[in-house]
Amino acid sequence: MSLEQILADAAKGVFPPADGGVTVVAQPSPRDAGVLNLTAHAVVFADADPRWIRSLLPPGDFSAPLNPPFLTALCERLGRQVNNIDLLTLTSALPGPPQSGLGLALRPTEDRTHPRITRALHHRDDIRAWTVPGGTLLIGRGVAGRWEVAVEVEPQARGAGLGRRLALAARHLVPDGEPLWAQIAPGNAASVRALLAAGYVPMGAEALLVG
């Protein structure tokens, strides 16, 4: 079993057993390592000895894989650090171009100096970006090749639903009708509300370990 297959199955509603267990798989790429918590089941994707990983995770301890002791030990073993512990969400693609009713004049951009795009280039491939007055939308291939979305709303444009509309527009822009994933810092309540309102569904929690 690979992380790609686990994510593909989850996108179809097929999950690992909710048994408190831990699945250890290889990193899908040299860039991507981390821990994914689904309902009562953890997936560790890291190029480390599975026996060593399991020795640090007491059976049936649902919280251990995303707790500081394990993440710290794994980071030290891999020479990485925790990026964040994010809420991982998923949505489906929508047909056709973004609807005119969204009120978005999306403009494709090749500018790679925007901070959000610069950051995305470190974590994703095949970046595609659009801008509107007050906001930026991008999608790209992230962990295990899945399509991921990121939205940035400038401070002066917040509070008017722009984040929700950009997140909804992304569902029309994801290539080939593929599932679209989004990682959100749980403390960023405005972004969480925007993604949920745009039809993204919580799937679990994820900690990426970055070099």
Side-chain angles (χ1 to χ4, degrees), residues 68-117:
F70 175 69
L71 291 178
T72 298
L74 186 59
C75 284
E76 290 176 351
R77 179 62 63 98
L78 299 178
R80 294 172 175 244
Q81 61 184 11
V82 177
N83 188 32
N84 195 41
I85 298 178
D86 288 321
L87 169 67
L88 183 65
T89 67
L90 174 70
T91 193
S92 57
L94 293 175
Q99 298 173 358
S100 59
L102 291 176
L104 296 175
L106 289 167
R107 298 181 60 181
T109 178
E110 297 294 331
D111 179 15
R112 294 300 183 256
T113 63
H114 187 285
R116 169 63 76 171
I117 298 174

Side-chain angles (χ1 to χ4, degrees), residues 107-204:
R107 298 181 60 181
T109 178
E110 297 294 331
D111 179 15
R112 294 300 183 256
T113 63
H114 187 285
R116 169 63 76 171
I117 298 174
T118 299
R119 181 177 182 274
L121 290 170
H122 292 289
H123 301 287
R124 300 181 179 97
D125 303 311
D126 299 333
I127 297 293
R128 307 176 187 194
W130 297 261
T131 61
V132 297
T136 301
L137 165 66
L138 63 87
I139 59 175
R141 287 198 177 275
V143 176
R146 70 192 182 197
W147 283 105
E148 299 174 350
V149 61
V151 171
E152 180 78 18
V153 177
E154 297 171 11
Q156 69 274 13
R158 292 173 186 167
L162 179 57
R164 175 189 58 80
R165 288 180 286 139
L166 287 170
L168 183 55
R171 301 179 61 185
H172 293 272
L173 298 169
V174 61
D176 303 321
E178 293 198 31
L180 183 60
W181 300 80
Q183 303 114 310
I184 319 166
N188 188 348
S191 290
V192 173
R193 291 193 297 267
L195 270 290
L196 295 180
Y200 293 70
V201 177
M203 299 292 283

